[in-house]
PDB file of all heavy atoms in Angstrom:
ATOM      1  N   ASN A 266    -186.516 -34.851  88.915  1.00 78.00           N
ATOM      2  CA  ASN A 266    -185.930 -36.184  88.826  1.00 78.00           C
ATOM      3  C   ASN A 266    -186.495 -37.124  89.921  1.00 78.00           C
ATOM      4  O   ASN A 266    -186.670 -38.315  89.682  1.00 78.00           O
ATOM      5  CB  ASN A 266    -184.426 -36.104  88.960  1.00 78.00           C
ATOM      6  CG  ASN A 266    -183.758 -35.631  87.674  1.00 78.00           C
ATOM      7  OD1 ASN A 266    -184.432 -35.287  86.706  1.00 78.00           O
ATOM      8  ND2 ASN A 266    -182.431 -35.663  87.680  1.00 78.00           N
ATOM      9  N   SER A 267    -186.772 -36.565  91.086  1.00 78.00           N
ATOM     10  CA  SER A 267    -187.320 -37.424  92.201  1.00 78.00           C
ATOM     11  C   SER A 267    -188.679 -37.982  91.770  1.00 78.00           C
ATOM     12  O   SER A 267    -188.923 -39.173  92.012  1.00 78.00           O
ATOM     13  CB  SER A 267    -187.463 -36.596  93.466  1.00 78.00           C
ATOM     14  OG  SER A 267    -186.199 -36.207  93.952  1.00 78.00           O
ATOM     15  N   ALA A 268    -189.483 -37.156  91.162  1.00 80.00           N
ATOM     16  CA  ALA A 268    -190.806 -37.658  90.660  1.00 80.00           C
ATOM     17  C   ALA A 268    -190.638 -38.662  89.563  1.00 80.00           C
ATOM     18  O   ALA A 268    -191.357 -39.665  89.541  1.00 80.00           O
ATOM     19  CB  ALA A 268    -191.646 -36.444  90.193  1.00 80.00           C
ATOM     20  N   GLY A 269    -189.699 -38.444  88.659  1.00 79.00           N
ATOM     21  CA  GLY A 269    -189.492 -39.393  87.576  1.00 79.00           C
ATOM     22  C   GLY A 269    -189.022 -40.738  88.055  1.00 79.00           C
ATOM     23  O   GLY A 269    -189.502 -41.799  87.633  1.00 79.00           O
ATOM     24  N   GLN A 270    -188.041 -40.695  89.011  1.00 76.00           N
ATOM     25  CA  GLN A 270    -187.556 -41.961  89.537  1.00 76.00           C
ATOM     26  C   GLN A 270    -188.624 -42.683  90.348  1.00 76.00           C
ATOM     27  O   GLN A 270    -188.738 -43.914  90.311  1.00 76.00           O
ATOM     28  CB  GLN A 270    -186.335 -41.682  90.444  1.00 76.00           C
ATOM     29  CG  GLN A 270    -185.101 -41.215  89.692  1.00 76.00           C
ATOM     30  CD  GLN A 270    -184.437 -42.314  88.872  1.00 76.00           C
ATOM     31  OE1 GLN A 270    -184.958 -43.455  88.787  1.00 76.00           O
ATOM     32  NE2 GLN A 270    -183.331 -41.982  88.226  1.00 76.00           N
ATOM     33  N   ALA A 271    -189.453 -41.916  91.080  1.00 78.00           N
ATOM     34  CA  ALA A 271    -190.502 -42.522  91.823  1.00 78.00           C
ATOM     35  C   ALA A 271    -191.534 -43.185  90.880  1.00 78.00           C
ATOM     36  O   ALA A 271    -192.043 -44.276  91.195  1.00 78.00           O
ATOM     37  CB  ALA A 271    -191.208 -41.485  92.714  1.00 78.00           C
ATOM     38  N   ALA A 272    -191.854 -42.536  89.757  1.00 79.00           N
ATOM     39  CA  ALA A 272    -192.743 -43.120  88.807  1.00 79.00           C
ATOM     40  C   ALA A 272    -192.235 -44.469  88.311  1.00 79.00           C
ATOM     41  O   ALA A 272    -193.002 -45.416  88.159  1.00 79.00           O
ATOM     42  CB  ALA A 272    -192.991 -42.174  87.680  1.00 79.00           C
ATOM     43  N   MET A 273    -190.925 -44.484  87.999  1.00 77.00           N
ATOM     44  CA  MET A 273    -190.323 -45.736  87.514  1.00 77.00           C
ATOM     45  C   MET A 273    -190.409 -46.826  88.580  1.00 77.00           C
ATOM     46  O   MET A 273    -190.692 -47.992  88.299  1.00 77.00           O
ATOM     47  CB  MET A 273    -188.879 -45.468  87.126  1.00 77.00           C
ATOM     48  CG  MET A 273    -188.720 -44.504  85.943  1.00 77.00           C
ATOM     49  SD  MET A 273    -189.168 -45.237  84.367  1.00 77.00           S
ATOM     50  CE  MET A 273    -187.916 -46.482  84.185  1.00 77.00           C
ATOM     51  N   TYR A 274    -190.126 -46.430  89.831  1.00 76.00           N
ATOM     52  CA  TYR A 274    -190.010 -47.426  90.864  1.00 76.00           C
ATOM     53  C   TYR A 274    -191.372 -47.913  91.348  1.00 76.00           C
ATOM     54  O   TYR A 274    -191.622 -49.153  91.458  1.00 76.00           O
ATOM     55  CB  TYR A 274    -189.239 -46.831  92.045  1.00 76.00           C
ATOM     56  CG  TYR A 274    -188.893 -47.842  93.137  1.00 76.00           C
ATOM     57  CD1 TYR A 274    -187.899 -48.784  92.917  1.00 76.00           C
ATOM     58  CD2 TYR A 274    -189.611 -47.840  94.332  1.00 76.00           C
ATOM     59  CE1 TYR A 274    -187.609 -49.694  93.868  1.00 76.00           C
ATOM     60  CE2 TYR A 274    -189.270 -48.775  95.340  1.00 76.00           C
ATOM     61  CZ  TYR A 274    -188.286 -49.707  95.111  1.00 76.00           C
ATOM     62  OH  TYR A 274    -187.973 -50.620  96.076  1.00 76.00           O
ATOM     63  N   PHE A 275    -192.321 -47.001  91.571  1.00 80.00           N
ATOM     64  CA  PHE A 275    -193.625 -47.364  92.021  1.00 80.00           C
ATOM     65  C   PHE A 275    -194.427 -48.151  91.003  1.00 80.00           C
ATOM     66  O   PHE A 275    -195.413 -48.842  91.320  1.00 80.00           O
ATOM     67  CB  PHE A 275    -194.413 -46.166  92.507  1.00 80.00           C
ATOM     68  CG  PHE A 275    -193.910 -45.574  93.803  1.00 80.00           C
ATOM     69  CD1 PHE A 275    -194.417 -44.363  94.331  1.00 80.00           C
ATOM     70  CD2 PHE A 275    -192.902 -46.230  94.543  1.00 80.00           C
ATOM     71  CE1 PHE A 275    -193.980 -43.826  95.469  1.00 80.00           C
ATOM     72  CE2 PHE A 275    -192.499 -45.688  95.774  1.00 80.00           C
ATOM     73  CZ  PHE A 275    -193.004 -44.537  96.226  1.00 80.00           C
ATOM     74  N   ALA A 276    -194.103 -47.989  89.722  1.00 78.00           N
ATOM     75  CA  ALA A 276    -194.792 -48.699  88.665  1.00 78.00           C
ATOM     76  C   ALA A 276    -194.654 -50.207  88.809  1.00 78.00           C
ATOM     77  O   ALA A 276    -195.447 -50.991  88.268  1.00 78.00           O
ATOM     78  CB  ALA A 276    -194.317 -48.234  87.289  1.00 78.00           C
ATOM     79  N   ASN A 277    -193.614 -50.638  89.544  1.00 77.00           N
ATOM     80  CA  ASN A 277    -193.454 -52.084  89.806  1.00 77.00           C
ATOM     81  C   ASN A 277    -194.354 -52.602  90.864  1.00 77.00           C
ATOM     82  O   ASN A 277    -194.450 -53.814  91.064  1.00 77.00           O
ATOM     83  CB  ASN A 277    -191.975 -52.352  90.244  1.00 77.00           C
ATOM     84  CG  ASN A 277    -190.990 -52.003  89.169  1.00 77.00           C
ATOM     85  OD1 ASN A 277    -191.244 -52.229  87.980  1.00 77.00           O
ATOM     86  ND2 ASN A 277    -189.838 -51.448  89.571  1.00 77.00           N
ATOM     87  N   HIS A 278    -195.058 -51.716  91.585  1.00 81.00           N
ATOM     88  CA  HIS A 278    -195.880 -52.120  92.734  1.00 81.00           C
ATOM     89  C   HIS A 278    -197.335 -51.670  92.576  1.00 81.00           C
ATOM     90  O   HIS A 278    -198.259 -52.423  92.854  1.00 81.00           O
ATOM     91  CB  HIS A 278    -195.289 -51.559  94.020  1.00 81.00           C
ATOM     92  CG  HIS A 278    -193.880 -51.930  94.257  1.00 81.00           C
ATOM     93  ND1 HIS A 278    -193.521 -53.099  94.939  1.00 81.00           N
ATOM     94  CD2 HIS A 278    -192.723 -51.293  93.960  1.00 81.00           C
ATOM     95  CE1 HIS A 278    -192.194 -53.170  94.983  1.00 81.00           C
ATOM     96  NE2 HIS A 278    -191.695 -52.109  94.434  1.00 81.00           N
ATOM     97  N   ALA A 279    -197.558 -50.442  92.173  1.00 82.00           N
ATOM     98  CA  ALA A 279    -198.923 -49.881  92.128  1.00 82.00           C
ATOM     99  C   ALA A 279    -199.686 -50.380  90.921  1.00 82.00           C
ATOM    100  O   ALA A 279    -199.121 -50.844  89.954  1.00 82.00           O
ATOM    101  CB  ALA A 279    -198.831 -48.327  92.087  1.00 82.00           C
ATOM    102  N   ARG A 280    -201.028 -50.216  91.012  1.00 83.00           N
ATOM    103  CA  ARG A 280    -201.873 -50.591  89.866  1.00 83.00           C
ATOM    104  C   ARG A 280    -201.685 -49.575  88.779  1.00 83.00           C
ATOM    105  O   ARG A 280    -201.537 -49.975  87.598  1.00 83.00           O
ATOM    106  CB  ARG A 280    -203.342 -50.649  90.344  1.00 83.00           C
ATOM    107  CG  ARG A 280    -204.279 -51.177  89.268  1.00 83.00           C
ATOM    108  CD  ARG A 280    -205.651 -51.450  89.890  1.00 83.00           C
ATOM    109  NE  ARG A 280    -206.301 -50.160  90.200  1.00 83.00           N
ATOM    110  CZ  ARG A 280    -207.120 -49.520  89.367  1.00 83.00           C
ATOM    111  NH1 ARG A 280    -207.372 -50.022  88.170  1.00 83.00           N
ATOM    112  NH2 ARG A 280    -207.717 -48.403  89.731  1.00 83.00           N
TER     113      ARG A 280
END
Side-chain angles (χ1 to χ4, degrees):
N266 283 6
S267 295
Q270 291 289 4
M273 296 288 294
Y274 189 73
F275 287 174
N277 296 322
H278 305 272
R280 186 170 71 92

